[in-house]
């Protein structure tokens, strides 16, 4: 996910830290990119983050995920690859 993990971390922070603890705080964000470029910026929490936290509903969404063995994922990729192999023929 490279830089996208930056926003995953922000979502995690908003979901796990109480809104009153965040208000007035500064959050530093650093995305290392792919090694070729990076970005750094800061955010200041000026208001209540409760609505963001509720809409993200991250904790419940993570708890509702179906966890499967890695091999099941690898097998699904193989099926997909076989089904769409015509895309890669020259």
């Amino acid at each position: 996910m490279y830089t996208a993990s930056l926003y995953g971390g922000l979502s995690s922070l908003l979901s796990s830290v109480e809104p009153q603890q965040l208000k007035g705080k500064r959050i530093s964000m650093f995305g290392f990119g792919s090694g070729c470029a990076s970005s750094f910026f800061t955010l200041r929490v000026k208001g209540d983050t409760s609505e963001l936290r509720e809409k993200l509903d991250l904790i419940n969404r993570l708890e509702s995920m179906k966890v499967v063995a890695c091999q099941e994922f690898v097998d699904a990729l193989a099926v997909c690859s076989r089904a769409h192999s015509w895309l890669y023929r020259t």
Side-chain angles (χ1 to χ4, degrees):
M1 280 186 15
Y2 291 115
T3 300
S5 66
L6 181 73
Y7 301 102
L10 178 60
S11 297
S12 176
L13 180 74
L14 292 172
S15 297
S16 59
V17 177
E18 293 297 324
Q20 61 271 20
Q21 288 182 295
L22 289 174
K23 194 169 185 176
K25 299 287 177 139
R26 184 174 297 221
I27 301 168
S28 296
M29 307 279 289
F30 176 72
F32 59 90
S34 62
C36 182
S38 62
S39 35
F40 179 82
F41 54 95
T42 61
L43 309 169
R44 183 175 301 276
V45 181
K46 291 187 173 186
D48 185 4
T49 59
S50 297
E51 185 177 354
L52 286 169
R53 185 180 187 166
E54 290 169 19
K55 287 184 178 184
L56 280 171
D57 195 26
L58 185 63
I59 305 302
N60 288 327
R61 291 170 65 185
L62 289 173
E63 287 175 351
S64 70
M65 288 177 62
K66 178 185 175 189
V67 178
V68 297
C70 290
Q71 191 59 50
E72 188 172 334
F73 177 71
V74 170
D75 294 344
L77 286 177
V79 168
C80 183
S81 178
R82 284 191 301 275
H84 298 287
S85 65
W86 62 269
L87 292 172
Y88 304 107
R89 290 186 190 145
T90 57

